[in-house]
Amino acid sequence: MPGKKTKNKINSKINYSTNEKTTSPRNAKIVLFVFGVGPLVLMCLFLFSNGFFTSPG
């Protein structure tokens, strides 16, 4: 069939790499602890160092 023109179909699929890091529950707990409890601890230390919790009398 030399008269027919055939076109090759090109499948343009986006291949996402499977090596991407996924968030595990352990990592999520660590991040929540550091960014949740960390600032509270630092704020308390700052207030203690400035004498916020001492009685004025």
Side-chain angles (χ1 to χ4, degrees):
M1 296 182 191
K4 289 187 176 180
K5 293 181 181 178
T6 59
K7 292 182 180 179
N8 292 335
K9 291 184 180 179
I10 299 173
N11 292 332
S12 60
K13 292 182 180 178
I14 299 172
N15 293 328
Y16 294 104
S17 73
T18 57
N19 294 333
E20 292 179 4
K21 293 182 179 178
T22 57
T23 305
S24 67
R26 182 175 174 230
N27 288 344
K29 287 179 184 177
I30 292 172
V31 169
L32 286 175
F33 181 77
V34 168
F35 289 103
V37 179
L40 293 175
V41 171
L42 291 175
M43 186 173 24
C44 288
L45 288 174
F46 175 76
L47 291 174
F48 271 119
S49 68
N50 287 336
F52 182 77
F53 297 107
T54 57
S55 61

